Amino acid sequence: MDAGIAAVCGALAGSVATIGAALATGWSQREGARIAARAEHVRQRREPRYATYKELIAATDEMRTTFRPFGQGGLGEIPPMNLSLVTSDVLNAANEHGERVKRAWLDTQLAGPRQVSVVATHIQDCATTIRAMVISLRAANELVSGGHQLPPGSHMEELWRLLSVAVRDLSKLLGDFTRAAQSALDHNGAEDA
């Protein structure tokens, strides 16, 4: 091969190598930027979710702690009905905790993902049940305290049982929600979480 063709081939090889290197560098930079953008997106989603989940966990735990005496019986037993435990302070606590859980539940519904929202909805339903049972039992307590008898068919024992079961369910749901929230926060964002 003569020197002219060798020079052209060398220049051509150098040009191809330079173009290849430029393409590889461009691809690498785009890939790096994509990874950085994805990491920032995951961080921006994780931080608000963390605060939202933390609030629902705190609100649920406070409600669970406040109403623990209504759910404690021996090995799966319902504690004996005691309407005198359902004071106006307990009613106020049910309303306050119920509202706080509801606000946190609404935020959790927006923060997602679906598996966390589903458990949060179960918590909200349970908190609503506790609140409704306390309202009914408080009304019965006021009747009895006022010297009246409960009307026939008032089903206070059944309401007491529902309250006890809801308080126990709230404890289980809090654990379920915490695990679902941890999973959502640990998610790397490769799929839509």
Side-chain angles (χ1 to χ4, degrees):
M1 171 177 338
D2 70 357
I5 292 177
V8 170
C9 287
L12 184 59
S15 296
V16 169
T18 302
I19 291 171
L23 289 174
T25 300
W27 176 84
S28 175
Q29 288 175 344
R30 279 191 307 278
E31 189 64 20
R34 188 185 69 77
I35 290 169
R38 183 66 182 160
E40 179 62 15
H41 173 74
V42 169
R43 186 191 66 74
Q44 287 176 352
R45 295 223 15 170
R46 183 177 290 136
E47 287 176 7
R49 282 181 175 177
Y50 175 84
T52 298
Y53 299 165
K54 183 177 177 182
E55 176 57 23
L56 184 58
I57 289 168
T60 303
D61 185 54
E62 285 182 23
M63 186 171 218
R64 177 186 68 159
T65 301
T66 299
F67 292 97
R68 183 173 285 140
F70 295 94
Q72 289 180 335
L75 295 175
E77 296 175 6
I78 304 297
M81 185 170 79
N82 182 355
L83 289 178
S84 66
L85 291 176
V86 191
T87 64
S88 59
D89 288 341
V90 169
L91 176 61
N92 291 337
N95 287 325
E96 289 171 16
H97 292 309
E99 283 301 314
R100 184 173 175 205
V101 168
K102 183 177 181 179
R103 284 190 305 272
W105 168 76
L106 287 170
D107 290 341
T108 303
Q109 294 306 297
L110 295 174
R114 186 179 186 288
Q115 64 269 22
V116 173
S117 296
V118 167
V119 181
T121 297
H122 292 307
I123 287 175
Q124 168 59 19
D125 292 346
C126 197
T128 299
T129 298
I130 290 170
R131 192 175 184 184
M133 295 306 103
V134 168
I135 290 169
S136 297
L137 291 166
R138 176 63 187 154
N141 183 6
E142 288 178 359
L143 279 174
V144 171
S145 296
H148 299 89
Q149 289 188 346
L150 293 175
S154 59
H155 306 289
M156 288 301 114
E157 292 285 341
E158 178 62 13
L159 294 178
W160 186 266
R161 187 190 73 74
L162 288 172
L163 174 60
S164 180
V165 169
V167 169
R168 289 179 186 183
D169 288 349
L170 194 62
S171 290
K172 179 192 174 303
L173 289 169
L174 181 57
D176 293 347
F177 179 80
T178 301
R179 284 185 294 281
Q182 287 169 340
S183 176
L185 291 173
D186 288 344
H187 195 274
N188 68 4
E191 300 167 13
D192 195 22

